[in-house]
Amino acid sequence: EVQLVESGGGLAQPGGSLRLSCAASGFTLNNYWMTWVRQAPGKGLEWVANIKRDGSERYYVDSVKGRFTISRDNAKNSLYLQMNSLRVEDTAVYYCARGLGTTITVDFWGQGTLVTVSS
Amino acid sequence: SSELTQDPAVSVALGQTVRITCQGDILSKYYATWYQQKPGQAPLLVLYGDNTRPSGIPDRFSGSTSGNTGSLTIIGAQAEDEADYYCNSRDTSDHHLLFGGGTKLTVL
């Protein structure tokens, strides 16, 4: 059974940092692009970042560029999102998601982890 | 970057047909992908590519594209289809992804 389980969310102060993790199981992580998508409370979905199968390419939405870093450890079947210089507007549920086949299109989502940025 | 525009809300009578649309210039280049999200749940892929449904998605869901508009059609809507629906596509920056603002579907 394919599973993606996010962890690491919680409360952070503006300017603070959090590191999200996503544990993958039921498939071979290094065969897939992986993506982070977020959803602010009561709002729509927003793509945050994605990373190529071997980690050699990474892409970010402009609003997080320079503050967030996506990474992966295929040997540990894990995806990460290091979030620095957090802002109130980063408050959201963060979803880890798997690519469809060899594409960047997302086909499977984790259940998400809530990040709240507040003083 | 591009934008994808969806109607905020659509309603359909039980058993009737409803079309949810997604408009954006990028859809003349890439197919729309569609996700269903129910309250408190993660999104679920329902359509991708040229009208392809993942395993387990009922065949009452279908997709189409005309010009710069992608559509998700539900023929014979059921109560369990009530959800938010999001379209998605690659962006002009080829490895970026875009989401539409979502359409809240109410089944009456």
Side-chain angles (χ1 to χ4, degrees):
Chain A
E1 179 191 6
V2 173
Q3 285 196 27
L4 294 169
V5 180
E6 302 93 337
S7 60
L11 178 64
Q13 292 195 332
S17 298
L18 281 176
R19 188 192 196 212
L20 305 185
S21 298
C22 172
S25 61
F27 66 99
T28 303
L29 187 68
N30 62 13
N31 288 340
Y32 297 89
W33 279 81
M34 295 298 293
T35 295
W36 288 99
V37 176
R38 67 184 178 184
Q39 187 169 33
K43 302 297 184 182
L45 301 172
E46 180 184 33
W47 170 75
V48 174
N50 54 14
I51 184 168
K52 195 175 181 180
R53 287 167 282 173
D54 62 359
S56 61
E57 296 178 28
R58 312 175 195 208
Y59 301 90
Y60 301 91
V61 68
D62 285 348
S63 60
V64 309
K65 213 172 286 185
R67 300 189 298 123
F68 290 12
T69 302
I70 187 172
S71 62
R72 63 195 295 162
D73 186 335
N74 290 334
K76 294 183 178 180
N77 292 315
S78 293
L79 176 73
Y80 306 101
L81 187 67
Q82 178 67 43
M83 304 187 296
N84 298 333
S85 303
L86 282 163
R87 304 169 180 169
V88 170
E89 55 265 34
D90 295 320
T91 295
V93 173
Y94 284 74
Y95 293 100
C96 164
R98 186 186 74 170
L100 175 64
T102 59
T103 75
I104 65 170
T105 299
V106 168
D107 74 338
F108 188 82
W109 304 64
Q111 286 302 306
T113 187
L114 176 62
V115 171
T116 303
V117 184
S118 173
S119 55
Chain B
S1 66
S2 300
E3 289 186 351
L4 296 175
T5 301
Q6 298 182 242
D7 292 328
V10 170
S11 62
V12 61
L14 184 67
Q16 296 304 299
T17 297
V18 61
R19 176 174 293 179
I20 299 170
T21 61
C22 175
Q23 189 170 17
D25 289 342
I26 199 66
L27 297 183
S28 62
K29 181 177 181 181
Y30 296 117
Y31 289 114
T33 301
W34 292 92
Y35 301 96
Q36 176 194 72
Q37 187 180 35
K38 296 181 179 180
Q41 296 185 17
L44 174 71
L45 177 67
V46 294
L47 284 170
Y48 65 95
D50 185 13
N51 191 24
T52 303
R53 282 175 288 106
S55 173
I57 302 301
D59 60 6
R60 63 178 179 271
F61 290 85
S62 64
S64 62
T65 303
S66 177
N68 67 350
T69 300
S71 299
L72 165 68
T73 300
I74 307 174
I75 300 175
Q78 302 299 302
E80 61 263 33
D81 299 334
E82 187 163 288
D84 294 326
Y85 289 85
Y86 293 92
C87 65
N88 165 254
S89 173
R90 299 172 77 130
D91 197 355
T92 51
S93 304
D94 201 37
H95 291 86
H96 292 206
L97 291 172
L98 277 177
F99 286 95
T103 297
K104 182 176 182 60
L105 175 66
T106 300
V107 179
L108 304 171

